[in-house]
Each structure stands twice: as C-alpha cells, then as structure tokens.
Amino acid sequence: MLYQQINQNKRRTFYVLLFFFILTSLVGGAIGYLFAHNFIIGVIAALIITLIYSIISINNSIDTIMKLNSAHEITNINDDRYKELKNVISDMALVARIPIPRIFIINDDSPNAFATGNNPNNSAIAVTSGLLNIMNRDELEGVIGHEVSHIRNYDIRLQTISLALTSAISLLVNFGSQFLWNLGFDEDNNDSSNNLFIIFISIILIILGPLASTIAQMALSRNREFLADAGSVELTRNPQELINALKKLDKTEPMKKVNSSSSALYISDPIKKDSWWNHLFDTHPSISKRIKRLENM
C-alpha cells in the first residue's frame, strides 16, 4: 500500500509539472502571436525566461527563503537547547541516506516546519520554537521524517521550480497586459475571422494564465504533502508518530509572521484561513484527509 501510494503520487506530480510547462508555452505563444504574429518566438522566449527564473531560484533558495521567514541557523553544534532536534535530524538523514541538512529555527509559538534547498547535498530544515515545545521525540521524528522525505524525493527542487514557473507566467502576463489594450489590427486581420479567433484565444490565455498556474501549484503542493507523509512512514516505520503530530498541528493558531510565498513549503498551513472561499486555494490537503491516508497504510 505504501509504495503504491508513493508511485501514484509521483505520476500525478509528473502530470502537474507537464501542465505547468504546457501552460507556460501557451501563454508565451499567445503573447508572441499578439505582438509578433509568431507563436514560436513567444514559446521560445517563455521557455528562456522560465529557465532563467529556475536557475536563479534554485541557486539562491536556502538563504533567500530562510531570510524571508526570519529563520536563524544553528551554528553551535553543542547548544543543548537543540540537542534532541539535531539528533532526530541526524537519525532521519542517516535512515534516508542523505547528508545532514542545515538546521534553522524560527522564533514563533505556532508549531510548524519546512524543508528547502535544491538537492539532498544542499538542503535545510527549519522548525519553529513552538514545534519543539509541544512535540515529544516520537512526534518530532514523524515531522522531521516528513521534511527529510521532501529532501530525499527532490520535492524541494520541484517546489522551487513551480514557484519559478508561476513567477515566469506572471511576468509574461504582466508584459502582455501592459500593451493588450493598445493592440492594433492590420487590414488583413480585420478581414480574417480565423485571425480574430486566434487573437481572442490568446487574450483569454493571458487573462486566465495566472489562475491556471496558481491551481497547478496548489495541486503540486498538495500531492507532495501526501507523498512526504508516506515517506515519513517509510523512514520511521510507525505511522502513528506522524498521526499524533498532525493532530497537534491541526489544533494550533496561525503563525504570527509568515511569508505568503513560502506558505506551501510548511508541513501545515501556517496561515490557517477561515473563509470557505479561501480554502478553495489551499496549498495543503486537510489534516483529516492526511490522517485518513496514514491510518489506511
């Protein structure tokens, strides 16, 4: 059951990323047609912009994200305050057969954690002070196993790339929107219903592109959370550890200060929106659904 769920989630992730790249190409092609009457030029430009965004994001992911979330690194390996945390991270990294990630602390009473980086050799885990205060060692192992699974499965790179793709689509759409209403049509275009139809479709793609990319990013994030939960069970061999931890996370208050662009990285939604409308755009599956899957393993 465990490995079937992991394989299923990996297939879904591939489909979401494929959708991301198709959407980026369509938006780029639409802009290329509107301003140069050439789809290919737009697609090539879009893919180049996406590649640049991805490279920049991956190379600077740890320091940038930790700074945005006010996290400070544990540099003193002999600091007794974080001895248990360091031991748990070391143990989980050993079981997962990855290098020990850098360790960061966020001073916030709300329990939470996330992992970031670009690969297992360049990764980091951040936990809040609130997490250390309410979790026992077994529950902490469940949470850290979840984050280590994100690292081992290269989820951290996927999340970084998805953010880069979303940013690239937003940049393309902003560029297209800036000149959209100044668009002029030549005489041939006015006489061609086909050209007018293509232009109409291109405008729709530019308008709906950001919404579609946001939905794809949410789908990717939700899918990777399920996969990391399954990975945590694989590492700890005890689903109850993570179940107990998730139950505690479900009953806590939102974090006081959190960077909204990083919210998808956390093990539990750090914002905890109340409105049913906002829940349509959740980056995390509900805790109850995650617990149900763990109980069925």
Side-chain angles (χ1 to χ4, degrees), residues 98-259:
I98 65 169
I100 299 174
R102 295 163 62 185
I103 306 173
F104 289 76
I105 299 294
I106 301 172
N107 292 320
D108 196 299
D109 292 334
S110 180
N112 226 315
F114 70 83
T116 189
N118 56 31
N119 59 60
N121 293 315
N122 183 25
S123 64
I125 292 176
V127 303
T128 64
S129 54
L131 185 82
L132 300 179
N133 291 335
I134 72 166
M135 299 289 174
N136 61 37
R137 183 183 174 91
D138 287 344
E139 294 161 350
L140 185 60
E141 283 185 352
V143 172
I144 298 304
H146 175 101
E147 300 307 333
V148 167
S149 294
H150 275 313
I151 296 171
R152 182 186 61 170
N153 298 336
Y154 282 80
D155 293 346
I156 51 177
R157 176 178 290 179
L158 285 172
Q159 191 66 45
T160 299
I161 291 175
S162 72
L163 289 171
L165 289 170
T166 302
S167 299
I169 290 173
S170 296
L171 178 66
L172 291 169
V173 169
N174 288 337
F175 172 79
S177 299
Q178 184 177 357
F179 299 100
L180 187 59
W181 303 114
N182 296 323
L183 180 65
F185 304 103
D186 56 35
E187 186 175 342
D188 292 335
N189 281 341
N190 282 327
D191 295 333
S192 173
S193 59
N194 288 334
N195 281 341
L196 290 175
F197 177 75
I198 294 175
I199 289 173
F200 174 75
I201 295 298
S202 298
I203 293 173
I204 293 299
L205 280 171
I206 291 175
I207 294 173
L208 298 182
L211 177 60
S213 66
T214 299
I215 293 173
Q217 185 182 12
M218 290 186 302
L220 178 63
S221 178
R222 293 175 183 178
N223 191 43
R224 304 313 290 184
E225 289 304 305
F226 283 128
L227 180 58
D229 285 346
S232 177
V233 175
E234 183 184 8
L235 296 177
T236 64
R237 299 295 177 182
N238 185 1
Q240 196 60 46
E241 293 182 1
L242 184 56
I243 289 173
N244 293 339
L246 289 174
K247 287 180 178 178
K248 288 185 176 181
L249 292 173
D250 196 32
K251 298 177 181 179
T252 57
E253 296 295 321
M255 292 180 63
K256 294 179 181 178
K257 294 182 180 180
V258 61
N259 177 259

